[in-house]
Amino acid sequence: MPITRRLVVALTILCAASYIVQLHQFLQLHRLDIHQHSPLTKKSQPSSSKNVHIVFSTDCSGYQHYQSIVSYYSIHRSGHLGPTTRIVSGCTPTQQQEITNEFERIDPTKQKLRVHFSQSFVLKGKHYKYSNKPGGLYHWMNHTTIEESVIALIDPDMMLL
């Protein structure tokens, strides 16, 4: 079945609407102390999510930074109890400090939201942005102690419901 212009427009509108809803939720949560307002009661929260470490890899662009914040809030809002780590590749020292400062404002305890910085990775001597995910994940796994038994690798534009 050929993809028609009408189908492309409909899918684009659907994606935009989804992002608008998530942005609205993000803005509402950003005004709250997210560590005091749980979306679920303790009775209904699955205890197994404490043992799942969610990880996603990004670069230092503003676009992926925005995606990271929205993704984290959707993960938290879904009732996930384990940590979430953003692996960031190829930042300048100034960018690293800005990201670290913002993440500390969101989670001062660094128990739920963590950040790990790595260098930008190359593939066969050439910069290839998609090599940052495997390279960054490998770097993180070799430079941190992982206590959880499950690591869930997602993309920064993924959201949990």
PDB file of all heavy atoms in Angstrom, residues 8 36 49 60 80 87 101 110 117 123 146 152 158:
ATOM      1  N   VAL A   8       0.560  10.679   5.736  1.00  0.00           N
ATOM      2  CA  VAL A   8       1.722  11.325   6.348  1.00  0.00           C
ATOM      3  C   VAL A   8       1.270  12.510   7.206  1.00  0.00           C
ATOM      4  O   VAL A   8       1.730  12.692   8.336  1.00  0.00           O
ATOM      5  CB  VAL A   8       2.742  11.770   5.277  1.00  0.00           C
ATOM      6  CG1 VAL A   8       3.825  12.646   5.879  1.00  0.00           C
ATOM      7  CG2 VAL A   8       3.360  10.560   4.591  1.00  0.00           C
ATOM      8  N   GLN A  36       7.295  14.181  46.078  1.00  0.00           N
ATOM      9  CA  GLN A  36       6.256  14.124  47.089  1.00  0.00           C
ATOM     10  C   GLN A  36       4.920  13.694  46.504  1.00  0.00           C
ATOM     11  O   GLN A  36       4.010  13.383  47.232  1.00  0.00           O
ATOM     12  CB  GLN A  36       6.109  15.499  47.737  1.00  0.00           C
ATOM     13  CG  GLN A  36       7.397  16.002  48.311  1.00  0.00           C
ATOM     14  CD  GLN A  36       7.267  16.317  49.771  1.00  0.00           C
ATOM     15  OE1 GLN A  36       6.187  16.445  50.283  1.00  0.00           O
ATOM     16  NE2 GLN A  36       8.392  16.424  50.447  1.00  0.00           N
ATOM     17  N   SER A  49       9.826  -2.890  39.898  1.00  0.00           N
ATOM     18  CA  SER A  49      10.458  -1.815  39.124  1.00  0.00           C
ATOM     19  C   SER A  49      11.630  -1.193  39.858  1.00  0.00           C
ATOM     20  O   SER A  49      12.434  -0.494  39.255  1.00  0.00           O
ATOM     21  CB  SER A  49       9.431  -0.744  38.723  1.00  0.00           C
ATOM     22  OG  SER A  49       9.071   0.053  39.830  1.00  0.00           O
ATOM     23  N   CYS A  60      24.583  16.324  23.248  1.00  0.00           N
ATOM     24  CA  CYS A  60      24.359  17.531  24.061  1.00  0.00           C
ATOM     25  C   CYS A  60      23.426  18.535  23.406  1.00  0.00           C
ATOM     26  O   CYS A  60      23.331  19.667  23.876  1.00  0.00           O
ATOM     27  CB  CYS A  60      25.701  18.198  24.353  1.00  0.00           C
ATOM     28  SG  CYS A  60      26.502  17.466  25.762  1.00  0.00           S
ATOM     29  N   HIS A  80       7.446   4.158  37.878  1.00  0.00           N
ATOM     30  CA  HIS A  80       8.722   3.441  37.941  1.00  0.00           C
ATOM     31  C   HIS A  80       9.480   3.838  39.203  1.00  0.00           C
ATOM     32  O   HIS A  80       9.614   5.015  39.508  1.00  0.00           O
ATOM     33  CB  HIS A  80       9.552   3.744  36.691  1.00  0.00           C
ATOM     34  CG  HIS A  80      10.895   3.079  36.708  1.00  0.00           C
ATOM     35  ND1 HIS A  80      11.029   1.723  36.599  1.00  0.00           N
ATOM     36  CD2 HIS A  80      12.142   3.580  36.839  1.00  0.00           C
ATOM     37  CE1 HIS A  80      12.319   1.411  36.640  1.00  0.00           C
ATOM     38  NE2 HIS A  80      13.011   2.528  36.795  1.00  0.00           N
ATOM     39  N   ILE A  87      22.860   8.942  29.543  1.00  0.00           N
ATOM     40  CA  ILE A  87      24.258   8.903  29.117  1.00  0.00           C
ATOM     41  C   ILE A  87      24.414   9.977  28.039  1.00  0.00           C
ATOM     42  O   ILE A  87      23.730   9.930  27.022  1.00  0.00           O
ATOM     43  CB  ILE A  87      24.645   7.520  28.560  1.00  0.00           C
ATOM     44  CG1 ILE A  87      24.429   6.447  29.629  1.00  0.00           C
ATOM     45  CG2 ILE A  87      26.071   7.536  28.060  1.00  0.00           C
ATOM     46  CD1 ILE A  87      24.555   5.031  29.109  1.00  0.00           C
ATOM     47  N   ASN A 101      23.690  20.682  36.650  1.00  0.00           N
ATOM     48  CA  ASN A 101      22.936  21.610  37.502  1.00  0.00           C
ATOM     49  C   ASN A 101      21.428  21.406  37.363  1.00  0.00           C
ATOM     50  O   ASN A 101      20.705  21.388  38.357  1.00  0.00           O
ATOM     51  CB  ASN A 101      23.297  23.058  37.177  1.00  0.00           C
ATOM     52  CG  ASN A 101      24.707  23.411  37.609  1.00  0.00           C
ATOM     53  OD1 ASN A 101      25.325  22.711  38.404  1.00  0.00           O
ATOM     54  ND2 ASN A 101      25.228  24.488  37.059  1.00  0.00           N
ATOM     55  N   LYS A 110      19.924  12.493  43.605  1.00  0.00           N
ATOM     56  CA  LYS A 110      20.579  11.698  42.554  1.00  0.00           C
ATOM     57  C   LYS A 110      20.257  10.212  42.664  1.00  0.00           C
ATOM     58  O   LYS A 110      20.999   9.358  42.205  1.00  0.00           O
ATOM     59  CB  LYS A 110      22.095  11.906  42.564  1.00  0.00           C
ATOM     60  CG  LYS A 110      22.519  13.321  42.305  1.00  0.00           C
ATOM     61  CD  LYS A 110      24.023  13.437  42.313  1.00  0.00           C
ATOM     62  CE  LYS A 110      24.453  14.866  42.199  1.00  0.00           C
ATOM     63  NZ  LYS A 110      25.885  15.025  42.305  1.00  0.00           N
ATOM     64  N   PHE A 117      28.530  11.194  31.758  1.00  0.00           N
ATOM     65  CA  PHE A 117      29.121  11.826  30.584  1.00  0.00           C
ATOM     66  C   PHE A 117      30.222  10.949  30.003  1.00  0.00           C
ATOM     67  O   PHE A 117      30.989  10.334  30.742  1.00  0.00           O
ATOM     68  CB  PHE A 117      29.699  13.201  30.952  1.00  0.00           C
ATOM     69  CG  PHE A 117      28.657  14.178  31.395  1.00  0.00           C
ATOM     70  CD1 PHE A 117      28.426  14.416  32.741  1.00  0.00           C
ATOM     71  CD2 PHE A 117      27.889  14.856  30.465  1.00  0.00           C
ATOM     72  CE1 PHE A 117      27.452  15.310  33.154  1.00  0.00           C
ATOM     73  CE2 PHE A 117      26.909  15.741  30.853  1.00  0.00           C
ATOM     74  CZ  PHE A 117      26.696  15.969  32.203  1.00  0.00           C
ATOM     75  N   LEU A 123      33.399   5.858  14.516  1.00  0.00           N
ATOM     76  CA  LEU A 123      33.322   4.530  13.929  1.00  0.00           C
ATOM     77  C   LEU A 123      34.215   4.504  12.699  1.00  0.00           C
ATOM     78  O   LEU A 123      33.996   5.266  11.759  1.00  0.00           O
ATOM     79  CB  LEU A 123      31.869   4.223  13.555  1.00  0.00           C
ATOM     80  CG  LEU A 123      31.550   2.839  13.033  1.00  0.00           C
ATOM     81  CD1 LEU A 123      31.842   1.793  14.107  1.00  0.00           C
ATOM     82  CD2 LEU A 123      30.104   2.751  12.612  1.00  0.00           C
ATOM     83  N   ILE A 146      26.529  -1.023  38.967  1.00  0.00           N
ATOM     84  CA  ILE A 146      25.121  -1.258  38.647  1.00  0.00           C
ATOM     85  C   ILE A 146      24.570  -2.244  39.664  1.00  0.00           C
ATOM     86  O   ILE A 146      25.008  -3.389  39.729  1.00  0.00           O
ATOM     87  CB  ILE A 146      24.975  -1.795  37.204  1.00  0.00           C
ATOM     88  CG1 ILE A 146      25.590  -0.813  36.216  1.00  0.00           C
ATOM     89  CG2 ILE A 146      23.508  -2.055  36.884  1.00  0.00           C
ATOM     90  CD1 ILE A 146      25.803  -1.373  34.841  1.00  0.00           C
ATOM     91  N   ALA A 152      17.138  -1.458  31.236  1.00  0.00           N
ATOM     92  CA  ALA A 152      16.244  -1.234  30.099  1.00  0.00           C
ATOM     93  C   ALA A 152      16.807  -0.064  29.293  1.00  0.00           C
ATOM     94  O   ALA A 152      16.840   1.065  29.779  1.00  0.00           O
ATOM     95  CB  ALA A 152      14.837  -0.931  30.579  1.00  0.00           C
ATOM     96  N   MET A 158      11.319   8.156  23.815  1.00  0.00           N
ATOM     97  CA  MET A 158      10.323   7.206  24.271  1.00  0.00           C
ATOM     98  C   MET A 158       9.732   7.682  25.591  1.00  0.00           C
ATOM     99  O   MET A 158      10.416   8.253  26.420  1.00  0.00           O
ATOM    100  CB  MET A 158      10.942   5.825  24.484  1.00  0.00           C
ATOM    101  CG  MET A 158      11.364   5.164  23.217  1.00  0.00           C
ATOM    102  SD  MET A 158      12.058   3.560  23.603  1.00  0.00           S
ATOM    103  CE  MET A 158      12.066   2.845  21.978  1.00  0.00           C
TER     104      MET A 158
END
